[in-house]
Amino acid sequence: MKPKKTFHELGLSEDVLNAVSDLGFTEPSSIQSEAIPLILSGKDVIGHSRTGTGKTAAFAIPSLEILEEGEQSPQVLVLCPTRELVVQVAEEYRKLGKYKEDFQVAAIYGGDDITKQFKALKRKPQVIVGTPGRTMDHMDRKTLDLREIKMVILDEADEMLDMGFLEDMEIILAKVPEERQTILFSATLSAKVMGITKKFQNSPKIVDVTGGKADRPKIKQIYFEMREGLKSEALIRLLEYHTPKASLVFCNTKVRVDELVEFLKSKGVFSEGLHGDLSQNQRNKVMSGFRSGLVSVLVATDVAGRGIDVSDVEAVVNYDIPRDSEDYVHRIGRTGRAGRKGLALSFVSNKEFRTLRKIKEDHEFEMELGKVPDIAELTEKKFLEYSHIVKEVSEEGDVSEYSKLVKKLTSEGIPAERLAAALFKLALAEKSEKFDSDVRFDQDQRSFREKEGSSRNDRDRRFGGKSNQKGKRDHKDKNRNSNRFHRGGASSGGGKKGSGSGSGGPSRKKGKR
């Protein structure tokens, strides 16, 4: 089906169109233009779309159109896997339903004050957004009546299954009318996901917008080969080089998150961690700081990171390569949203290399090999940035007060060129000193690259790049490269305990997510 060009062509009401316009939406995304007409026609729909493609609006907009004015009971139920996603989806409903008379939405989830949720439900909201566990809790307490539900939406169904919510979903859906409309959205269409569609849906129409490259978020994916002990210093350097305003860093364990946050703070980086051990108040505080910009780097586990929907995340860093390829898809989908360009950086040690290669092959991703900038490159980049800033200030800013100081110093015999150089040195000193403490990093990186093969073509061939087309490999090279990247020991750069840990950053410890 050819995507519509405007929201007006989708047959939406004036109040919804006004809300869409206020949000700055001009053209519907592929998932929106295809799913909205089907949902409005009353059909059950399976939406298969990647994170960041506008799927929340794809189900929220048509569900708002089915609401009957004056009916004081829940008409739409949205189930989400995490607390964070519940809050974000509910907020999207508030924005899209702002012009609907007496419209109310209630967010119900665990870890939040249940008495506050009692009050929200007493206001007779038309839309309920909740986690399965807390939704069942309110059903048991008789504070939530689902007998008038017209539409059920299962958001991120694959995540709910992975988190063990199948039984809860079955119990909840058994309490809503059979003639309801059921919408399911998922980033993956696994056998488990398709299995529940047979249980919960009636002849659903599949909307799949994941096939074409044009529909993929514009995310540049770069991977960096390095020893485990170099990851923390590499992160600092890459954040400094790319200067993203908001970054999301993923680790595989809670312990890893805490260690990395402590390291980043010691380097002056405004960072916080997010994992399952935090209370709801702590989670809310961390997310509030990240959304407001007070926290520039959020470090999270996969479980805690699910449902994070911050539109202006400029970079995602896979500090640890995820164990599951679908987790990688969910991770990088947190950047490159709403048509923006995104950046995904992955740190890969020897023992993680096979996993990353499988991820690349499974999803046909284009990844390029990157090089962590050395001190000279970082300094050069800062020089260029400050040069542009100085030019702008000199051309547009009021520098009269500072001109007096310059005249005074030059009259005392300091040449203007030397004075400017001294000021640059002062301005850049703070930026450079964080790298001067570990000049061994550059030496370790060079040593690592030399051991693993200095040729860029050789590295691309081992990763299965464009030059390595199927059927054109040399069998001998394939075996040799496979052995090099999948064996342990010092010869592969991942060997002796403590080797290559010159950055002084967090070490790998076992821990739960």
Side-chain angles (χ1 to χ4, degrees), residues 25-271:
F25 298 160
T26 54
E27 296 179 1
S29 66
S30 295
I31 188 65
Q32 292 165 359
S33 63
E34 294 195 35
I36 289 174
L38 287 173
I39 297 173
L40 287 174
S41 71
K43 299 182 184 300
D44 285 3
V45 170
I46 299 171
H48 184 200
S49 67
R50 293 180 175 84
T51 304
T53 55
K55 53 95 178 172
T56 302
F59 64 73
I61 287 173
S63 65
L64 285 169
E65 298 288 19
I66 71 162
L67 298 180
E68 293 186 18
E69 292 186 13
E71 186 171 327
Q72 298 297 306
S73 61
Q75 300 174 54
V76 175
L77 172 65
V78 185
L79 294 178
C80 303
T82 66
R83 295 170 281 190
E84 285 76 22
L85 189 57
V86 167
V87 172
Q88 290 153 16
V89 170
E91 183 59 27
E92 187 89 349
Y93 268 101
R94 290 188 184 97
K95 293 175 180 177
L96 289 168
K98 62 186 292 187
Y99 293 113
K100 282 198 168 290
E101 188 174 355
D102 298 325
F103 173 71
Q104 295 282 339
V105 57
I108 54 177
Y109 52 91
D112 188 36
D113 183 2
I114 198 166
T115 58
K116 184 174 68 175
Q117 294 177 11
F118 290 156
K119 293 178 182 178
L121 291 170
K122 283 182 179 180
R123 290 196 287 267
K124 307 295 182 182
Q126 295 92 342
V127 176
I128 305 293
V129 185
T131 54
R134 183 51 65 94
T135 299
M136 288 180 59
D137 192 6
H138 281 288
M139 291 167 59
D140 293 340
R141 293 170 182 265
K142 309 297 183 185
T143 53
L144 177 59
D145 186 353
L146 302 179
R147 289 178 297 178
E148 300 299 324
I149 291 292
K150 297 178 175 62
M151 181 185 292
V152 174
I153 299 161
L154 307 176
D155 191 15
E156 296 198 5
D158 52 345
E159 297 289 355
M160 284 196 282
L161 288 176
D162 288 344
M163 297 173 73
F165 286 133
L166 176 58
E167 185 177 349
D168 293 352
M169 293 159 66
E170 290 175 334
I171 293 172
I172 293 168
L173 269 69
K175 299 293 184 180
V176 300
E178 289 187 9
E179 63 271 18
R180 68 179 185 272
Q181 187 177 1
T182 307
I183 313 301
L184 181 149
F185 273 80
S186 178
T188 60
L189 291 186
S190 63
K192 289 193 298 183
V193 171
M194 296 308 293
I196 66 170
T197 67
K198 295 177 182 178
K199 289 185 178 181
F200 301 150
Q201 294 186 295
N202 180 28
S203 302
K205 298 291 183 181
I206 298 178
V207 177
D208 188 343
V209 297
T210 62
K213 289 186 178 180
D215 292 314
R216 293 187 179 185
K218 298 174 183 178
I219 303 172
K220 185 175 183 179
Q221 299 178 57
I222 308 173
Y223 70 98
F224 302 85
E225 299 174 12
M226 65 185 69
R227 292 191 182 93
E228 184 63 41
L230 300 180
K231 286 186 175 183
S232 53
E233 178 70 12
L235 178 60
I236 290 290
R237 293 190 177 202
L238 288 166
L239 291 175
E240 187 72 19
Y241 188 81
H242 291 287
T243 62
K245 293 181 180 177
S247 305
L248 188 52
V249 181
F250 282 99
C251 298
N252 286 347
T253 66
K254 301 173 186 177
V255 172
R256 188 82 147 171
V257 168
D258 291 338
E259 288 179 341
L260 184 55
V261 169
E262 184 178 350
F263 173 76
L264 290 172
K265 287 182 175 179
S266 74
K267 292 288 187 176
V269 178
F270 296 108
S271 59

Side-chain angles (χ1 to χ4, degrees), residues 251-482:
C251 298
N252 286 347
T253 66
K254 301 173 186 177
V255 172
R256 188 82 147 171
V257 168
D258 291 338
E259 288 179 341
L260 184 55
V261 169
E262 184 178 350
F263 173 76
L264 290 172
K265 287 182 175 179
S266 74
K267 292 288 187 176
V269 178
F270 296 108
S271 59
E272 291 293 347
L274 194 69
H275 55 63
D277 284 350
L278 300 185
S279 68
Q280 187 58 41
N281 285 338
Q282 289 174 314
R283 293 165 73 99
N284 291 342
K285 184 177 179 181
V286 168
M287 287 306 301
S288 176
F290 190 52
R291 290 194 181 95
S292 67
L294 293 176
V295 174
S296 61
V297 179
L298 179 62
V299 187
T301 58
D302 285 302
V303 172
R306 287 170 181 160
I308 292 177
D309 189 7
V310 179
S311 61
D312 55 354
V313 172
E314 295 181 357
V316 167
V317 180
N318 295 298
Y319 193 84
D320 298 321
I321 301 302
R323 302 179 180 96
D324 185 273
S325 65
E326 296 305 331
D327 283 337
Y328 179 90
V329 175
H330 283 284
R331 286 181 180 187
I332 70 170
R334 305 303 168 194
T335 185
R337 296 195 159 215
R340 299 182 179 91
K341 291 183 180 180
L343 181 65
L345 309 176
S346 298
F347 296 170
V348 53
S349 62
N350 268 7
K351 58 185 176 181
E352 296 173 307
F353 194 86
R354 180 183 294 176
T355 305
L356 185 64
R357 183 169 62 185
K358 186 178 186 301
I359 291 169
K360 177 181 182 293
E361 293 171 351
D362 285 351
H363 298 279
E364 298 181 346
F365 284 138
E366 293 182 4
M367 298 181 184
E368 66 179 65
L369 177 64
K371 174 183 173 294
V372 179
D374 57 27
I375 294 175
E377 291 168 324
L378 288 166
T379 303
E380 177 65 21
K381 189 169 190 296
K382 287 302 169 188
F383 268 126
L384 291 174
E385 289 178 0
Y386 272 82
S387 295
H388 289 306
I389 293 172
V390 169
K391 286 179 181 178
E392 290 179 2
V393 172
S394 65
E395 292 172 359
E396 301 175 8
D398 182 6
V399 296
S400 56
E401 287 297 317
Y402 302 96
S403 295
K404 296 177 182 178
L405 178 59
V406 171
K407 288 178 181 178
K408 180 179 183 298
L409 292 172
T410 53
S411 68
E412 294 175 357
I414 303 176
E417 183 177 336
R418 186 169 181 79
L419 176 60
L423 293 173
F424 259 109
K425 182 178 180 180
L426 287 172
L428 291 170
E430 182 182 348
K431 296 290 182 181
S432 300
E433 64 184 9
K434 65 177 66 175
F435 310 110
D436 293 339
S437 61
D438 191 14
V439 294
R440 288 177 297 171
F441 179 87
D442 296 336
Q443 297 170 346
D444 287 342
Q445 274 290 83
R446 283 194 296 270
S447 174
F448 180 76
R449 288 195 300 270
E450 288 168 3
K451 286 183 178 180
E452 297 304 322
S454 58
S455 167
R456 173 64 184 268
N457 289 334
D458 181 47
R459 289 194 294 268
D460 284 344
R461 185 164 60 251
R462 282 182 279 147
F463 194 63
K466 293 180 179 179
S467 61
N468 187 17
Q469 296 179 9
K470 189 175 182 180
K472 293 185 179 181
R473 288 175 178 161
D474 182 282
H475 186 67
K476 184 177 180 180
D477 283 347
K478 178 183 177 182
N479 289 338
R480 183 182 69 244
N481 292 330
S482 176

